[in-house]
Amino acid sequence: MNAFWIITTGSLVAITCSLLGCYLILRKMAMIGDAISHAVLPGIVIAFLYTGQRDSMVMLFAAALTGVFTTLLIELIHKKGKLQTDASIGVTFTLLFAIGIIMISVFAGQVDLDQDCVLYGEIAYVPFDVWLLDSGINLGPRAIWVLGGVLLIIIAFISLGYKPLYATTFDPGFAFTIGISIPLWHYLLMSLVSITTVASFEIVGAILVIAFLVVPPATAYLLTDDFKKMLMISSGIGILTAGSGYYLAVALNGSIAGAMAVMAGIFFTLAFFFSPSHGLLFKKLRKKRALLQGHEEGATTI
Amino acid sequence: MIKEAKNPVLEIHDLTVTYHKKPVLWDIDLTIPAGSLTGIIGPNGAGKSTLIKTIMGLIKPSSGYSKIFDKPLDEVRKRVSYVPQRGSVDWDFPASVFDVVLMGRYSDAGMFKRIRKADRELAMDALQKVGMEKFSKRQISELSGGQQQRVFLARALAQHADLYFMDEPFAGVDAATENAIIDLLHEMTGKGKTVVVVHHDLQSAIKYFEWILLLNTRLVASGPVTEVFTSELLQKTYGGKLTLLTEIGNLLQREGLPARETK
């Protein structure tokens, strides 16, 4: 049963992150996801100190706010300071993350968080942290409920906002001229990335969150040319990653989050070489075939 | 030489755009007649693209305003279509030709409603008009430059607007596509639509457009092509660049005859 809960939790994180990640990588903002997942830490600690609990709506809200604040700060440094985007990202998130770490160590007594938990998560403990009703009914792991809720929000967001999201991702200039607000969808997306990050990171850690935000979407990108399929394939790969990662960890008796991130990398490598459309192997074969055909037709065409 | 259009669909008043405190467009006042095929001509960095981006609201002007169909843009957005430069998007994006053209229907179909069958048919019609119906399922990364431009054009056609702004639609396209596009634009203006095109080739400008804007940060001229294409005005626009001046001289000698071989 424990394995089931851990894989389910991992899969929920994977699907949520992969869906958003598809938009992030196509908007060339994968590193923004990285930045947000780290930079929300001080926001979480402050929310902790205020409410004294972990799974509150206040905390998700605080995370969304910190996430948007992070992107604003990055844009501010980029535009006003004329610093390159990637450098602005680096400056912003390391600073905010470090502030968060200091806050954790200073308020260690009052905050139920530690550096290990932030970086690596505690997915192995998920099955033990159950949601018990006052009447004594066991509703299963708390994480499942939180992550399930977030996943539903993300799915609703993507299905309702499919057209404006698609248009602003592909061609923001055109999207604007047909009346879509570019900042609105940008910041909605950033808020959701923040919420997802916060809901996920105490379970799988900040590093696996980044892995899930970027690697399954990047793998799916190599496997399809259709955006809707890309969303589905990256979710599917996310689930496969969570499942196989768990068993890899069991086999090696190692870190579950680490094993999941490694599996994400392995799936990516497979797609990189063997994808029918973009893989290196098939590209080479196609080139060869095209060349041969070219030789045969050469006489007639030119 | 700035001539007032009799029946303007677009008017611009005192428009100035600056970038990092340097003026890109300076005090532009102009009108464009309804149903015309208008070319915006000028050297690199003259502010041609900036002008249409400002009209479309993509760039905020420092001062001045424009009116379309005698109204602010926000009230007539659905009647205006914008075709960005081909190079402004990532053509490796996971989308098919049809996906892109369908975006032209987003506004009319309703942003949060399902795409109806009628919208799909209109998108397909638009593809047919640019001769790309066979490519509807094709991945956009597999298109040539000319085909990419046709897809952008089809997306604009699918919007069923009355006024079109196109940013360098002839840049880097093959001759066949250029001819196909110009025929299409003439067909559109024949039906009373107005098309405004950013263009950089003087030689073809003279045979393509009826109304010409000569732009170099300031508006040098705006009027019918026959009145605007004088050596004096062109010299003012291009600022005495030698090679260009000889080209212009040749052009004028031929007195507006097609400077390029027609096939």
Side-chain angles (χ1 to χ4, degrees):
Chain A
M1 201 57 187
N2 284 355
F4 172 77
W5 288 127
I6 291 174
I7 293 173
T8 310
T9 312
S11 302
L12 286 173
V13 174
I15 299 169
T16 317
C17 291
S18 308
L19 288 174
L20 292 176
C22 287
Y23 289 98
L24 291 182
I25 67 165
L26 289 175
R27 288 167 170 249
K28 304 183 171 57
M29 285 168 52
M31 283 305 110
I32 299 248
D34 183 355
I36 288 179
S37 66
H38 284 85
V40 290
L41 193 57
I44 297 167
V45 179
I46 293 169
F48 248 47
L49 291 171
Y50 261 97
T51 62
Q53 45 184 325
R54 233 142 106 130
D55 52 345
S56 60
M57 288 307 286
V58 182
M59 206 147 106
L60 288 184
F61 188 70
L65 229 55
T66 328
V68 170
F69 172 72
T70 310
T71 43
L72 284 174
L73 200 60
I74 293 170
E75 279 156 29
L76 183 86
I77 295 175
H78 170 57
K79 283 193 184 137
K80 298 284 168 196
K82 304 218 171 68
L83 194 66
Q84 291 78 355
T85 323
D86 51 351
S88 321
I89 292 174
V91 170
T92 310
F93 91 86
T94 46
L95 177 66
L96 289 173
F97 187 64
I99 292 175
I101 292 284
I102 291 180
M103 285 169 113
I104 288 182
S105 48
V106 171
F107 300 111
Q110 297 148 60
V111 179
D112 180 20
L113 259 179
D114 56 47
Q115 285 101 318
D116 271 6
C117 159
V118 170
L119 284 177
Y120 310 116
E122 297 172 325
I123 196 168
Y125 303 126
V126 161
F128 309 115
D129 185 10
V130 292
W131 186 10
L132 285 174
L133 289 187
D134 290 338
S135 55
I137 299 170
N138 183 349
L139 290 175
R142 203 174 44 87
I144 301 275
W145 289 93
V146 176
L147 291 170
V150 173
L151 177 59
L152 284 182
I153 294 172
I154 305 290
I155 290 175
F157 171 69
I158 291 178
S159 18
L160 274 176
Y162 184 82
K163 279 186 273 178
L165 277 172
Y166 193 57
T168 50
T169 305
F170 173 63
D171 190 349
F174 175 80
F176 175 84
T177 63
I178 58 171
I180 302 173
S181 165
I182 299 171
L184 174 74
W185 291 95
H186 173 71
Y187 289 117
L188 275 177
L189 189 64
M190 291 303 112
S191 317
L192 287 175
V193 170
S194 317
I195 289 177
T196 304
T197 310
V198 171
S200 316
F201 94 107
E202 62 166 313
I203 296 157
V204 298
I207 293 170
L208 189 56
V209 170
I210 304 163
F212 276 143
L213 272 176
V214 180
V215 186
T219 313
Y221 179 78
L222 294 183
L223 292 172
T224 181
D225 289 328
D226 180 326
F227 182 65
K228 280 182 183 157
K229 281 186 194 147
M230 182 174 159
L231 289 172
M232 286 181 232
I233 292 174
S234 67
S235 309
I237 291 174
I239 297 171
L240 275 179
T241 304
S244 58
Y246 174 76
Y247 287 107
L248 178 68
V250 170
L252 299 172
N253 196 17
S255 145
I256 298 176
M260 284 182 180
V262 166
M263 284 315 296
I266 289 176
F267 285 123
F268 176 81
T269 312
L270 287 176
F272 183 75
F273 286 108
F274 303 114
S275 155
S277 50
H278 298 266
L280 280 192
L281 183 78
F282 287 89
K283 258 189 195 157
K284 260 202 179 134
L285 281 179
R286 258 204 306 271
K287 227 181 201 169
K288 231 179 194 171
R289 206 177 308 149
L291 231 92
L292 284 175
Q293 265 175 7
H295 280 306
E296 281 161 22
E297 287 167 9
T300 47
T301 44
I302 305 163
Chain B
M1 209 273 323
I2 289 151
K3 203 161 177 181
E4 288 275 324
K6 275 193 190 112
N7 182 15
V9 284
L10 167 73
E11 27 181 320
I12 295 177
H13 297 281
D14 311 321
L15 189 79
T16 295
V17 177
T18 52
Y19 184 71
H20 292 319
K21 289 183 186 157
K22 270 176 68 184
V24 184
L25 289 173
W26 188 259
D27 202 16
I28 309 280
D29 269 281
L30 62 84
T31 47
I32 284 176
S36 70
L37 182 50
T38 295
I40 305 178
I41 316 286
N44 286 336
K48 305 187 290 287
S49 297
T50 306
L51 179 62
I52 62 172
K53 279 183 185 158
T54 311
I55 297 167
M56 290 310 294
L58 287 161
I59 295 176
K60 292 259 171 301
S62 309
S63 67
Y65 63 98
S66 51
K67 270 174 149 185
I68 297 171
F69 307 116
D70 210 22
K71 289 189 175 120
L73 172 70
D74 277 328
E75 289 174 32
V76 289
R77 234 175 234 290
K78 286 194 175 177
R79 294 177 64 193
V80 188
S81 166
Y82 168 63
V83 182
Q85 279 183 23
R86 189 160 54 80
S88 66
V89 304
D90 174 13
W91 289 94
D92 282 329
F93 195 83
S96 68
V97 165
F98 192 71
D99 288 335
V100 174
V101 178
L102 205 54
M103 282 181 203
R105 299 300 310 155
Y106 278 9
S107 176
D108 282 349
M111 214 47 80
F112 301 107
K113 291 191 193 125
R114 275 171 55 93
I115 295 274
R116 291 159 303 182
K117 203 177 158 221
D119 294 310
R120 292 179 184 282
E121 282 166 6
L122 286 170
M124 209 58 205
D125 285 349
L127 264 179
Q128 222 147 29
K129 280 191 191 130
V130 299
M132 288 282 288
E133 70 274 20
K134 280 188 194 134
F135 293 83
S136 73
K137 291 201 175 106
R138 188 70 71 88
Q139 160 64 21
I140 54 170
S141 64
E142 294 166 19
L143 302 176
S144 70
Q147 290 169 332
Q148 290 174 350
Q149 195 61 59
R150 287 175 194 230
V151 170
F152 260 16
L153 213 59
R155 180 176 69 178
L157 290 175
Q159 288 182 273
H160 289 262
D162 296 312
L163 172 60
Y164 293 81
F165 292 98
M166 304 185 179
D167 203 344
E168 298 268 9
F170 302 115
V173 306
D174 51 289
T177 299
E178 180 156 348
N179 287 327
I181 292 177
I182 203 72
D183 287 347
L184 190 68
L185 299 189
H186 280 303
E187 194 191 316
M188 287 159 72
T189 52
K191 285 180 189 155
K193 316 256 181 196
T194 310
V195 184
V196 181
V197 177
V198 170
H199 193 55
H200 63 269
D201 182 31
L202 273 176
Q203 304 208 358
S204 49
I206 201 165
K207 64 174 179 163
Y208 286 170
F209 303 114
E210 298 145 23
W211 192 275
I212 296 257
L213 312 180
L214 288 179
L215 192 68
N216 192 352
T217 307
R218 294 163 191 273
L219 185 70
V220 177
S222 166
V225 61
T226 43
E227 294 173 40
V228 165
F229 259 57
T230 66
S231 67
E232 189 204 339
L233 288 173
L234 288 169
Q235 205 165 6
K236 233 171 132 184
T237 313
Y238 284 87
K241 283 174 194 156
L242 266 177
T243 46
L244 273 163
L245 282 181
T246 34
E247 254 178 55
I248 294 159
N250 291 342
L251 266 177
L252 290 171
Q253 265 178 12
R254 288 175 217 160
E255 284 181 282
L257 284 173
R260 181 191 285 198
E261 285 175 46
T262 40
K263 31 157 203 176

